[in-house]
Amino acid sequence: MSALSRFLPLSALLVLLLFPLLGSEYYVGLLSRIIILAIFAMSLDLLIGYTGLVSFGHAAFFGIGGYALAIAFQDASVIHLWQALPLSLAAAALAALLVGWISIRTSGIYFIMITLAFAQMFFYYFFESPSYGGDDGIFLFLKPVLMIGSEDILKLEQENNFYYFALSCLVAGYLLLTMILRAPFGKVITAIKANEHRVCALGYSVNRYKLVSFVIAGTLAGLAGFLEGAHSGYINPSYMSWHESGIAIAIVVLGGMGTLYGPVVGAFIVVLLQDFLPSLTEHWQLLFGSIIISVALFLPRGATSLLPRILALLRREKSEDASSEEDPLEKTDG
Amino acid sequence: MADTILRTDRLSKSFGGLIATNGVSLDFERGQVHAIIGPNGAGKTTLINLLSGDLLPNDGSILFNGKEITNLPPNKISQLGIGRSYQKTNIFAEFSCYENCWVAAQSRLNSSMRFFRPASHLKAVRERAERALELCGLSRRHNSRAAEMSYGEQRQLEIGMMLATEPELLLLDEPLAGMGSEESIQVIELLKRLAEEHTLILIEHDMDAVFSIAEQLTVMVNGRVLATGTVEQIRNNQAVQEVYLGEDEEEL
């Protein structure tokens, strides 16, 4: 299993790396969108799947990452990546710090409600702000550049280059979270999810760990928002709507929470379904809903739990075969 | 002479109209095993919850090593060196036995806000976790999922986690509750070993166990301290015999 679990992500990464050589520009663009959504969902999984905080307002930080880019650079003649990216991350981190500072004092249903309320406040602020385009949002006509000398080494206006940029962000985010989860910090937050009261009794100031987790997740969501804004060249309030937060939760649950690859798989499933189902029927939302319901019912640990189950079944059959082959030998021995 | 590690002064706690702990003033001596006994509803667990910070008192104060800890939260009290085990098993059910102790042991780092090196590289934490497992007698269950272990083993793990935080004073809330006689004997042995180096405050219903471990006894009834003293003094105390020990004998 461990060999396979190492082999699978690497081969998936290889497929993603080679895809632009074969796929059309439309599908490369679609894949970029999926990857951005995967980063967003993965950041939410740090909260839902590892810290036990069900945030229903995670889209706020996604939107703030995008808006920070759009507001600061809407009239700029050039967008320097080294300025724009840290700005987006800082804005999202600051917002997460403020929202988290208050929200983590509550738990359960109250935490869900309070994060939702915060996200709605951000949503209406941008929705009703004429200087930021109101519900029309802001257009960005330039892509961020990374200048070395007089040469832009990223050339993000080319779809393939943007795709590779987003993919590297996904891999970096994945590795970062993996590292954090293995470190002492990760041990504490997974313990908080399992039994918060006991963690406190063991001497940890639980709220500080929750807050830091909330800020890390918010910052990573800001990265996704930055990428989305840069990719589509358009940012509007719907980025931070509760619908967007809900989709992120659905992706995490569909893919499998508490695994970092689950949300990545979930993002693929959700976007591809949204792309494919409407061609079947105009009532595709019904189909989409029933798929989510069936996964929740039959695969409570997400779509990615399917593979280990199948493997376990196969292995059991194999070992049964092996034991039945051994039987005659035992008899002759006896 | 007497070296007090923990002192409560007129400690009171009420829930609505119910006074669970009523003006409890007690001194706990360093290095001794002090058992608190009393009928159900006497306020023993409430008292432990006040000492560990799980509950805040309405009135009175708690001094630990001469320092006021009355309104501190549980995590601060744990960091000062007071460990506790719970009456209802309170472990990380999905973690392995070792991971349970690991999380406990890691709490003694200056900070667990460490994000870069894998936790498993921390030698001091590993040693502390392994020592705790060995002490509570679960070394052979190292990789077992806590939820899959027997009830008695979970109770042992509960104590092991407390030990991994290397406390000076142990608060034990019915460590023998629900255990079979075999398991009880093991845990009593463990408590005796712990008593050599720690101060123990212990709630227990099993009188044989109490008399075999404890040096000091406090009898509580209806939230009040009825009597406190050495085991001998309590045995000979008239009021205690009437209210508590007498009842037990009648039941027997």
Side-chain angles (χ1 to χ4, degrees):
Chain A
M1 185 64 206
S2 72
L4 187 81
S5 64
R6 217 165 298 159
F7 170 74
L8 255 170
L10 283 179
S11 48
L13 183 62
L14 195 67
V15 171
L16 288 176
L17 279 172
L18 296 178
F19 184 81
L21 303 179
L22 310 163
S24 69
E25 188 158 301
Y26 169 78
Y27 280 105
V28 174
L30 183 69
L31 222 53
S32 295
R33 261 178 52 216
I34 294 177
I35 284 170
I36 291 166
L37 206 54
I39 297 174
F40 178 41
M42 205 166 67
S43 73
L44 181 61
D45 193 27
L46 179 68
L47 295 181
I48 296 185
Y50 289 98
T51 322
L53 294 170
V54 181
S55 170
F56 200 1
H58 207 52
F61 312 116
F62 181 74
I64 283 167
Y67 264 107
L69 168 72
I71 292 168
F73 294 96
Q74 54 183 329
D75 300 319
S77 57
V78 57
I79 305 174
H80 285 291
L81 183 77
W82 64 269
Q83 292 173 330
L85 183 57
L87 180 80
S88 280
L89 297 184
L94 188 68
L97 185 66
L98 288 173
V99 173
W101 179 260
I102 297 166
S103 312
I104 48 141
R105 278 149 223 283
T106 63
S107 59
I109 190 80
Y110 300 101
F111 183 81
I112 296 176
M113 293 309 294
I114 204 168
T115 48
L116 172 64
F118 269 116
Q120 287 302 88
M121 280 164 60
F122 283 114
F123 173 82
Y124 282 109
Y125 174 75
F126 286 102
F127 192 82
E128 289 166 2
S129 62
S131 48
Y132 301 145
D135 60 337
D136 289 333
I138 303 172
F139 284 92
L140 267 182
F141 299 101
L142 297 169
K143 298 269 185 256
V145 295
L146 187 59
M147 304 300 278
I148 300 253
S150 58
E151 184 84 14
D152 172 21
I153 58 163
L154 288 177
K155 297 196 179 66
L156 293 181
E157 69 281 357
Q158 288 176 26
E159 193 59 60
N160 280 1
N161 290 2
F162 196 97
Y163 170 78
Y164 283 120
F165 181 64
L167 187 59
S168 347
C169 288
L170 176 67
V171 172
Y174 184 90
L175 294 177
L176 180 88
L177 290 180
T178 307
M179 180 183 74
I180 286 175
L181 288 168
R182 272 191 205 150
F185 177 79
K187 302 288 165 202
V188 179
I189 57 168
T190 40
I192 289 175
K193 187 188 181 220
N195 186 345
E196 179 176 342
H197 171 235
R198 184 57 180 210
V199 175
C200 182
L202 288 174
Y204 295 100
S205 48
V206 169
N207 280 356
R208 277 175 49 206
Y209 290 89
K210 283 186 183 175
L211 180 60
V212 170
S213 177
F214 197 84
V215 172
I216 293 173
T219 311
L220 207 53
L223 170 67
F226 169 87
L227 290 171
E228 180 66 34
H231 185 233
S232 65
Y234 175 53
I235 184 101
N236 67 50
S238 73
Y239 277 48
M240 38 177 81
S241 69
W242 65 272
H243 181 252
E244 199 72 17
S245 298
I247 286 284
I249 295 178
I251 290 176
V252 171
V253 174
L254 266 179
M257 54 185 161
T259 65
L260 290 176
Y261 50 83
V264 179
V265 174
F268 272 88
I269 296 175
V270 166
V271 175
L272 291 180
L273 282 179
Q274 284 178 337
D275 204 55
F276 165 71
L277 289 180
S279 65
L280 295 181
T281 158
E282 61 179 297
H283 305 297
W284 67 275
Q285 292 272 17
L286 281 177
L287 267 177
F288 187 59
S290 32
I291 290 173
I292 292 184
I293 291 170
S294 346
V295 171
L297 280 179
F298 301 114
L299 289 171
R301 301 179 74 176
T304 45
S305 67
L306 199 58
L307 190 67
R309 276 202 204 181
I310 294 172
L311 285 175
L313 269 180
L314 286 178
R315 196 167 308 138
R316 196 177 309 154
E317 269 176 24
K318 223 185 230 174
S319 65
E320 270 166 18
D321 287 352
S323 60
S324 60
E325 276 165 23
E326 277 163 20
D327 274 344
L329 280 177
E330 276 172 34
K331 270 172 199 162
T332 52
D333 277 347
Chain B
M1 54 144 267
D3 178 11
T4 304
I5 187 167
L6 189 79
R7 161 174 291 162
T8 69
D9 186 28
R10 287 174 287 110
L11 202 59
S12 295
K13 176 72 184 175
S14 53
F15 302 100
L18 176 79
I19 303 171
T21 306
N22 193 350
V24 170
S25 299
L26 284 172
D27 282 1
F28 299 94
E29 305 305 324
R30 190 182 306 281
Q32 298 222 306
V33 179
H34 193 138
I36 300 169
I37 60 173
N40 285 326
K44 306 183 298 288
T45 295
T46 304
L47 178 61
I48 291 277
N49 282 335
L50 291 170
L51 298 181
S52 69
D54 283 299
L55 290 174
L56 291 180
N58 301 111
D59 200 12
S61 64
I62 308 165
L63 293 177
F64 176 60
N65 283 332
K67 261 200 297 185
E68 168 103 25
I69 61 162
T70 315
N71 290 310
L72 292 183
N75 55 308
K76 293 260 169 64
I77 288 179
S78 162
Q79 290 293 353
L80 287 173
I82 302 182
R84 81 163 285 184
S85 73
Y86 288 84
Q87 180 181 3
K88 260 181 71 188
T89 308
N90 194 357
I91 56 179
F92 304 109
E94 295 304 315
F95 289 18
S96 75
C97 206
Y98 179 60
E99 285 168 329
N100 269 281
C101 287
W102 179 279
V103 173
Q106 195 186 288
S107 69
R108 300 303 116 163
L109 291 175
N110 287 332
S111 167
S112 283
M113 287 289 179
R114 302 183 184 194
F115 303 95
F116 302 108
R117 282 178 57 208
S120 50
H121 287 189
L122 294 164
K123 191 160 161 256
V125 178
R126 190 170 62 229
E127 286 171 356
R128 211 157 30 226
E130 274 163 5
R131 196 167 341 122
L133 266 190
E134 205 179 303
L135 263 175
C136 71
L138 289 174
S139 289
R140 75 214 139 74
R141 299 296 253 151
H142 197 275
N143 290 322
S144 310
R145 206 162 63 97
E148 284 163 358
M149 302 197 305
S150 74
Y151 179 75
E153 286 173 326
Q154 291 184 2
R155 302 290 306 160
Q156 278 168 272
L157 179 59
E158 174 82 39
I159 295 173
M161 289 169 72
M162 175 185 63
L163 294 177
T165 65
E166 300 196 323
E168 188 182 349
L169 168 65
L170 314 182
L171 308 174
L172 298 141
D173 193 354
E174 297 200 31
L176 304 178
M179 278 196 175
S181 56
E182 198 109 317
E183 291 167 329
S184 286
I185 291 167
Q186 273 188 28
V187 173
I188 290 169
E189 285 308 309
L190 169 61
L191 294 181
K192 280 181 179 164
R193 254 180 294 142
L194 293 178
E196 290 166 13
E197 289 176 14
H198 301 83
T199 309
L200 270 60
I201 299 177
L202 162 83
I203 297 177
E204 190 46 64
H205 278 298
D206 181 337
M207 281 304 146
D208 293 335
V210 167
F211 286 126
S212 77
I213 311 171
E215 293 145 289
Q216 297 283 322
L217 268 181
T218 291
V219 183
M220 286 185 72
V221 175
N222 293 331
R224 288 179 184 279
V225 174
L226 180 70
T228 182
T230 63
V231 174
E232 274 314 301
Q233 285 168 340
I234 297 297
R235 277 194 190 194
N236 300 328
N237 185 305
Q238 199 68 39
V240 173
Q241 282 177 1
E242 280 167 18
V243 171
Y244 187 63
L245 296 176
E247 271 178 22
D248 261 11
E249 276 163 22
E250 276 165 32
E251 279 172 21
L252 289 172

